Amino acid sequence: MSTPARQLHLGAFFFGVGHHLAAWRHPDVDAASATSIESLRAWARIAEAAKFDAIFFADNVGLSGSPAGLLTKNALPYPFDPLLLQSALAGVTERIGLVATVSTTYLPPYHLARKFATLDHLSGGRSGWNLVTSGSDFEAQAFGLPHQLDHAHRYEKAHEYVKVVKGLWDTWEDDAFVQDKETNQFFDPARLHRITHAGKHFQVRGGLQAPRAPQGYPVFVQAGSSDDGQDLAAATAELVFIAQQTVEDARAFYQSLKGRLANWGRTPDQLKILPGISPFVGRSHAEAQEKFEQLQSLIDPVLGVGLLSAFLGNVDLSKYPIDGPFPRDLPVTEGWQSRQDLFNKLAERENLSIRQLYERVAGARGHWTLVGTPETIADQLEHWFTTGAADGFNVLSPTLPHGLKDFAELVIPELQRRGLFRTEYTGHTLREHLGLPRPAHPLAAATRAAPSLATA
């Protein structure tokens, strides 16, 4: 029997009314649509009709501490709780995966475990958890802390957090609920496994009320590219979103991360790596370029500098001339270290000024921006996919829904024509879309060997 040809995985990343820094100012964009459930449902239906693997929502948990004069120029990107929002979208979709971002730093493990178990049941096995550790002081201050935890501490805590939530998701074996009315037995006590965890960061004893989820666990998603982030991803992640500007950098990251999996007893096919892309698609290159330049012309320089400052850990750039060289002496902060490294390398490699750097990254916050026809964009995606730089891509539409429609109606048919992307869903769960196994209950085999009346 022949092995099916490898195909791309695609995520649809919803972010406000589009990923471009000036998306809300575009004349065709309804700036209020990111807070309209009807609009969000419509966008989800577009993504599902195009057979995307999943919808993805990022998040942070606090209002930016930027001055009001800066905030007023920018659309708020995270108006809703992503888990509640994905639960709402579960009811108007049938097959597409639903990935929500939740921080391990500010939500107790029990809350997260119960919420994702609920989403997985509500959606029939389509949930994914994008694990973040949070990287800003304003988030910490929203939870009563003076500043964020240091980078290494956050990731150490995240490793333990994953152990706890897995234990909670394994409270019940898959067939624990016998519901035998004749014997008056609702569940088999031998198939109940309460967690007793005493660790450095968490002390947890108890169990979930919900049956084991359809997928066992939600798909584990991560986006950190620092050394700490890669170690956490190698240990826990099944889907990794990355920001890389060149195929060489993406290929090096791909090899580095997949090379760490063996240390955790894992194989390369157990983790999928999806670089982010922001595509400007036109039926001609001139049309695509016009779409790109129109949005670029709407960037407010104050916001552009503010974007760089935020990703660099709120470093003050005001003392540097905006058209002078990007400074090389900026401190490394406890914030998003992988993005700091990406911006520094990009500015150095291309000798960019502050203005040129924010113009380069404003479209997708550091992800790869493509401008072209369906054919030329498909050529580039195919090259990355077939040369060991990606297992697929996370699509960051510059505007919503327009950029999403362009990709769905123009690029995806070209990828399908080349046999690089599905024409129909073949599974029902997000794990099935991604070719990932459903995790077996770790104690089920031991239970089968034990006496049937063993107590929990």
Side-chain angles (χ1 to χ4, degrees), residues 47-280:
E48 185 167 61
K51 314 305 179 197
F52 277 86
D53 290 72
I55 298 163
F56 170 65
F57 284 95
D59 193 31
N60 61 34
V61 284
L63 183 64
S64 171
S66 301
L70 181 60
L71 279 179
T72 192
K73 297 174 178 290
N74 198 7
L76 301 179
Y78 310 112
F80 292 146
D81 181 296
L83 258 174
L84 292 177
L85 184 53
Q86 293 288 34
S87 294
L89 297 182
V92 297
T93 56
E94 295 180 355
R95 306 289 277 275
I96 196 165
L98 305 165
V99 180
T101 298
V102 181
S103 173
T104 58
T105 301
Y106 302 116
L107 187 71
Y110 190 94
H111 282 320
L112 180 135
R114 192 180 191 200
K115 291 173 188 295
F116 271 104
T118 301
L119 177 59
D120 210 56
H121 279 286
L122 290 177
S123 64
R126 295 186 282 137
S127 73
W129 170 32
N130 180 44
L131 184 165
V132 299
T133 65
S134 299
S136 60
D137 286 342
F138 69 79
E139 291 176 278
Q141 290 159 7
F143 288 85
L145 301 175
H147 52 76
Q148 62 184 301
L149 303 178
D150 69 72
H151 194 270
H153 184 185
R154 296 200 310 269
Y155 278 94
E156 177 187 73
K157 185 176 180 181
H159 276 277
E160 186 178 338
Y161 193 109
V162 171
K163 292 180 182 178
V164 173
V165 295
K166 280 185 172 181
L168 290 166
W169 285 322
D170 288 328
T171 298
W172 304 96
E173 295 182 29
D174 292 314
D175 55 355
F177 293 90
V178 294
Q179 298 169 347
D180 189 328
K181 296 181 180 181
E182 292 298 321
T183 63
N184 192 27
Q185 187 179 56
F186 193 81
F187 64 86
D188 181 348
R191 288 161 173 73
L192 166 61
H193 306 278
R194 291 188 178 92
I195 182 176
T196 301
H197 176 89
K200 180 177 179 180
H201 302 283
F202 301 105
Q203 310 288 322
V204 180
R205 183 181 187 279
L208 288 187
Q209 302 95 315
R212 196 161 190 256
Q215 292 188 113
Y217 311 143
V219 172
F220 285 90
V221 184
Q222 215 214 325
S225 296
S226 65
D227 277 342
D228 288 334
Q230 287 193 55
D231 283 341
L232 181 62
T236 66
E238 297 167 296
L239 185 63
V240 171
F241 298 145
I242 64 170
Q244 301 291 346
Q245 290 285 331
T246 69
V247 67
E248 293 81 12
D249 287 347
R251 194 177 295 126
F253 179 89
Y254 188 97
Q255 293 170 353
S256 171
L257 180 52
K258 295 225 175 185
R260 300 180 188 219
L261 294 174
N263 296 333
W264 299 93
R266 304 179 65 198
T267 59
D269 60 347
Q270 291 178 304
L271 184 148
K272 314 296 181 183
I273 297 177
L274 275 61
I277 61 168
S278 183
F280 290 80

Side-chain angles (χ1 to χ4, degrees), residues 135-137 148-152 154 309-316 330-338 340 344:
S136 60
D137 286 342
Q148 62 184 301
L149 303 178
D150 69 72
H151 194 270
R154 296 200 310 269
S309 175
F311 273 116
L312 293 168
N314 293 316
V315 171
D316 182 11
L330 298 177
V332 176
T333 73
E334 293 294 340
W336 296 284
Q337 292 184 1
S338 59
Q340 295 171 38
N344 285 323

Side-chain angles (χ1 to χ4, degrees), residues 7-46:
Q7 291 187 319
L8 289 162
H9 298 291
L10 294 176
F13 188 166
F14 292 177
F15 181 85
V17 291
H19 281 268
H20 196 281
L21 190 60
W24 75 273
R25 299 185 65 197
H26 192 285
D28 294 337
V29 168
D30 176 1
S33 58
T35 54
S36 162
I37 189 59
E38 288 306 319
S39 294
L40 290 158
R41 286 170 176 165
W43 302 349
R45 292 187 187 106
I46 292 169

